[in-house]
C-alpha cells in the first residue's frame, strides 16, 4: 500500500494552480444526463471521485471519453438503465446526484441507499421529501430506493430544513423538466450551486436566483447538450493557502475566485496571515505568530466545513487557545486524535474542539481519517520535526490531483512510497 512521507522543515514557496472543483464537477457530470447528446466539460479534475462518477454514468449506458487532460465528453444519448448499484454509491455518496436528472429525463430511478460514512450519518431525507413534493413516489426495498413519477413532475415550493448542498442540487436537476415553477426556499448558496445553475441554463433551463437562499426554476420541455468549464476548486485553493500560512513564505495560489473563500481569508488574516487578493488568485505569507481565532462551520457564505481540518492544523500551532465548532457534520473531528499523535493539544467536546496552541509538531506515523483530514496531516508534516508518514492516502486521491507533485514543485520534501501492508498502522 502507498503512503505519503513528508520530511519536515522544507517550507512551501512559489506558486500553484488549482484544478476545477471536485464538488462541482461531480454534479455537472450527473447533470449531463438531462441533455441527450454529447456535453463537453472542461477543467475537470483528474481525481478518483470523478472516475467513480464516470463509472456511474457508464453503468447507466452513457459514453464517457477523456479528451484532453482535463476534458470529458459525455454522450448521454445511449443511456438505457436507471439504476445506480451499491458498489458505486458505497464508494461515493455523491453518486446519489443522478437521482434528480434520471427522474427528470426518464421518470424513474433506482439508487442504492448510501450507508453511513465516516463523517456522520449523512442522511438523504431532505432529498426524498423535496422530490416527493414534486410528485415522486418512493419505495425502499433490499437496500435500494425505487423512485417513480406516476403523474409526472410538477413545480411547487420546497422549503429545506437546512441549506443542504446535495438536496438543493437534486431538486434543481429534477425540477428543470417539471411542469410549472419550482421554488427552493432555504437553498444552499455554495459557488458549486451557481456553477450547476449556469450549466443548466446553458442547456436551455430557466433557473433564477442560484447563489441566493431562494432559487426559482421554471420547467422546460427539453434540454440540449453544451460545453462548460468547471469553476475553480476553492477548497483545494484553501488547502494550499492554509499550508502556505503554516510555512510562512510567500505562495501564490491561482485558478480560483478568492471571493469564494471570503470568510476563510478573513479569518486567516485575523490569525496573522498576509493575503493579497487578485481576480483569480491570491498570494499568502506570514511573518509573525499564528493567532488563536474561534471558528464555526456553516453553509456558504459561512466558514466551510471542508476547510475545518486544515484550519485545525493551523490553529494547533497558534499562540493561544480557541474553539472550533462544527455545525454541518456530526463526527468530523477525527483529525484531532491524529494531530495529537504529532503533539497537538486538542480536546473534543461534542461538536466543539478546544485547541490549545503548542510550539511545534513532531513527525509521526498517522492515518488519513478522511479527504480533508488527510491533506491536513500532510500539511502538519511540512513543519513537523522529523518525518511524518501518512497512510490511507486513497482519501487524499479522492479530491486532490497531483498533490505530492504540486507540493514538491513548491519545495516540499514529500513523496509517495510503496510499503508492505503490515508496516502501515
Ligand atoms: C456537500 C459536499 C461536501 C461538503 C458539504 C457541505 C459534495 C460532493 N460534497 O456534501 O464536500 O462538506 O456539501 O458543504 O458536493 N443532511 C440531512 N439530510 C439530507 C441532506 C443532508 O440530514 O437529506 C445533513 C447531512 O447529514 C449533513 C448536512 O445536512 O450533516 C449537510 O449536508 P449537505 O449540505 O447535503 O452535504 P453534501 O451535499 O452531502
Amino acid at each position: 500500500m502507498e503512503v505519503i512521507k513528508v520530511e519536515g522543515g522544507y517550507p512551501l514557496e512559489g506558486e500553484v494552480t488549482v484544478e476545477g472543483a471536485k464538488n462541482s464537477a461531480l454534479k455537472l457530470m450527473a447533470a449531463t444526463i438531462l441533455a441527450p447528446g454529447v456535453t463537453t466539460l472542461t477543467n475537470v479534475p483528474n481525481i478518483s471521485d470523478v472516475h467513480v462518477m464516470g463509472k456511474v454514468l457508464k453503468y447507466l449506458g452513457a459514453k464517457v471519453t477523456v479528451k484532453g487532460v482535463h476534458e470529458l465528453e459525455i454522450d448521454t444519448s445511449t443511456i438505457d438503465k436507471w439504476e445506480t448499484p451499491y458498489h458505486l454509491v458505497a464508494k461515493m455518496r455523491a453518486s446519489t446526484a443522478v437521482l434528480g436528472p434520471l427522474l427528470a429525463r426518464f421518470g424513474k430511478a433506482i439508487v442504492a441507499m448510501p450507508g453511513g460514512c465516516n463523517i456522520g450519518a449523512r442522511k438523504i431525507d431532505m432529498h426524498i421529501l423535496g422530490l416527493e413534493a414534486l410528485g415522486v413516489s418512493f419505495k425502499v426495498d433490499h437496500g435500494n430506493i425505487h423512485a417513480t413519477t406516476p403523474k409526472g413532475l410538477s413545480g411547487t415550493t420546497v422549503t429545506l430544513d437546512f441549506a443542504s448542498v446535495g438536496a438543493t442540487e437534486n431538486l434543481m436537476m429534477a425540477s428543470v423538466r417539471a411542469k410549472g415553477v419550482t421554488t427552493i426556499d432555504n437553498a444552499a448558496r455554495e459557488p458549486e450551486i451557481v456553477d450547476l445553475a449556469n450549466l443548466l441554463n446553458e442547456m436551455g433551463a430557466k433557473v433564477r436566483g442560484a447563489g441566493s437562499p431562494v432559487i426559482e426554476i421554471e420547467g422546460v420541455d427539453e434540454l440540449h447538450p453544451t460545453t462548460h468549464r468547471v469553476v475553480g476548486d476553492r477548497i483545494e485553493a484553501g488547502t494550499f493557502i492554509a499550508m502556505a500560512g503554516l510555512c510562512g513564505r510567500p505562495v501564490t495560489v491561482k485558478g480560483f475566485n478568492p471571493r469564494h473563500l471570503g470568510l476563510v481569508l478573513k479569518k486567516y488574516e485575523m490569525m496573522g496571515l498576509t493575503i493579497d487578493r487578485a481576480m483569480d488568485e491570491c498570494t499568502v505569507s506570514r511573518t509573525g505568530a499564528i493567532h488563536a481565532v474561534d471558528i464555526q462551520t456553516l453553509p456558504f457564505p459561512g466558514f466551510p466545513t471542508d476547510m475545518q481540518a486544515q484550519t485545525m492544523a493551523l490553529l494547533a500551532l497558534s499562540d493561544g487557545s480557541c474553539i472550533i465548532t462544527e455545525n454541518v457534520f456530526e463526527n468530523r473531528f477525527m483529525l484531532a486524535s491524529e494531530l495529537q499523535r504529532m503533539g497537538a493539544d486538542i480536546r473534543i467536546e461534542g461538536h466543539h474542539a478546544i485547541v490549545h496552541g503548542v510550539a511545534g509538531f513532531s513527525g509521526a506515523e498517522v492515518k488519513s481519517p478522511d479527504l480533508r483530514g488527510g491533506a491536513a496531516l500532510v500539511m502538519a508534516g511540512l513543519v513537523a520535526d522529523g518525518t511524518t508518514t501518512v497512510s490511507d492516502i486513497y482519501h487524499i486521491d479522492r479530491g486532490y490531483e497531483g498533490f505530492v507533485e504540486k507540493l514538491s514543485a513548491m519545495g516540499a520534501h514529500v513523496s509517495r512510497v510503496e510499503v508492505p501492508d503490515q508496516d502501515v498502522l
Side-chain angles (χ1 to χ4, degrees):
M1 127 179 343
E2 267 192 320
V3 297
I4 293 181
K5 274 195 192 291
V6 194
E7 217 183 311
Y10 295 91
L12 302 184
E13 188 164 1
E15 60 175 59
V16 62
T17 302
V18 301
E19 315 300 331
K22 167 179 94 74
N23 288 352
S24 193
L26 297 174
K27 317 311 164 53
L28 301 182
M29 289 173 75
T32 63
I33 295 171
L34 289 162
V38 181
T39 286
T40 302
L41 297 176
T42 63
N43 203 29
V44 180
N46 186 5
I47 50 176
S48 67
D49 270 10
V50 162
H51 304 163
V52 175
M53 188 55 97
K55 281 187 189 153
V56 171
L57 293 174
K58 282 184 186 163
Y59 186 91
L60 298 172
K63 291 193 195 105
V64 182
T65 316
V66 180
K67 281 291 175 185
V69 195
H70 292 121
E71 191 172 317
L72 286 185
E73 250 183 31
I74 304 173
D75 182 354
T76 56
S77 60
T78 48
I79 289 183
D80 56 0
K81 277 209 197 80
W82 308 275
E83 185 173 351
T84 306
Y86 184 59
H87 73 271
L88 293 173
V89 176
K91 269 203 186 119
M92 191 185 68
R93 247 185 65 92
S95 42
T96 50
V98 298
L99 186 57
L102 285 175
L103 285 165
R105 180 160 157 205
F106 301 106
K108 52 190 165 183
I110 304 173
V111 176
M113 279 204 297
C117 108
N118 55 2
I119 55 171
R122 300 191 79 161
K123 295 179 291 186
I124 57 164
D125 54 321
M126 281 188 265
H127 302 230
I128 305 271
L129 282 171
L131 290 168
E132 271 176 350
L134 294 176
V136 180
S137 292
F138 287 97
K139 213 174 72 191
V140 177
D141 68 16
H142 305 293
N144 291 317
I145 299 167
H146 297 253
T148 50
T149 55
K151 294 185 189 147
L153 292 165
S154 303
T156 185
T157 296
V158 178
T159 305
L160 296 176
D161 276 8
F162 180 89
S164 153
V165 172
T168 302
E169 290 165 341
N170 248 328
L171 287 168
M172 280 165 73
M173 291 190 279
S175 57
V176 285
R177 294 280 311 275
K179 278 188 220 88
V181 176
T182 300
T183 304
I184 309 174
D185 201 358
N186 196 22
R189 290 184 267 170
E190 272 68 3
E192 294 76 22
I193 300 279
V194 176
D195 203 22
L196 176 60
N198 288 342
L199 172 80
L200 296 172
N201 286 338
E202 287 153 19
M203 287 174 160
K206 294 185 177 163
V207 181
R208 290 182 294 269
S212 83
V214 182
I215 302 180
E216 256 187 23
I217 302 121
E218 194 182 324
V220 296
D221 289 338
E222 58 174 28
L223 296 180
H224 54 77
T226 185
T227 295
H228 180 89
R229 181 179 168 83
V230 180
V231 68
D233 196 325
R234 66 196 164 103
I235 305 299
E236 187 191 3
T239 304
F240 289 124
I241 290 167
M243 288 176 149
L246 189 66
C247 294
R249 303 232 179 114
V251 170
T252 300
V253 182
K254 301 183 165 185
F256 80 109
N257 182 343
R259 273 180 300 171
H260 294 166
L261 276 181
L263 189 56
V264 174
L265 300 185
K266 186 176 158 216
K267 287 279 180 179
Y268 282 9
E269 283 172 330
M270 289 165 71
M271 286 181 206
L273 277 57
T274 302
I275 301 174
D276 292 323
R277 299 160 177 79
M279 187 103 109
D280 58 0
E281 63 179 54
C282 69
T283 301
V284 194
S285 60
R286 178 177 60 83
T287 44
I290 299 170
H291 305 310
V293 171
D294 290 344
I295 298 289
Q296 59 165 322
T297 66
L298 283 169
F300 192 87
F303 195 96
T305 174
D306 289 348
M307 282 303 300
Q308 184 252 101
Q310 304 89 316
T311 306
M312 179 183 278
L314 257 179
L315 291 169
L317 296 191
S318 70
D319 62 1
S321 300
C322 60
I323 298 180
I324 302 176
T325 303
E326 174 56 60
N327 292 313
V328 178
F329 288 110
E330 55 190 90
N331 200 11
R332 207 180 188 179
F333 282 138
M334 286 92 66
L335 172 69
S337 52
E338 298 301 313
L339 279 183
Q340 273 158 3
R341 290 177 49 74
M342 300 181 72
D345 181 354
I346 301 167
R347 198 172 78 242
I348 304 300
E349 283 189 7
H351 66 128
H352 303 291
I354 297 130
V355 184
H356 300 292
V358 295
F361 291 127
S362 79
E365 287 181 35
V366 286
K367 195 169 175 167
S368 300
D370 56 23
L371 167 58
R372 307 302 168 187
L377 289 170
V378 173
M379 166 174 165
L382 292 174
V383 294
D385 174 27
T387 302
T388 298
T389 305
V390 184
S391 60
D392 282 5
I393 59 170
Y394 63 89
H395 285 299
I396 298 177
D397 293 335
R398 283 186 43 217
Y400 292 94
E401 178 182 331
F403 196 47
V404 160
E405 291 77 5
K406 285 177 183 170
L407 295 175
S408 300
M410 287 187 282
H413 283 204
V414 52
S415 54
R416 295 174 79 106
V417 181
E418 189 71 40
V419 295
D421 281 5
Q422 68 270 21
D423 288 354
V424 176
L425 294 172

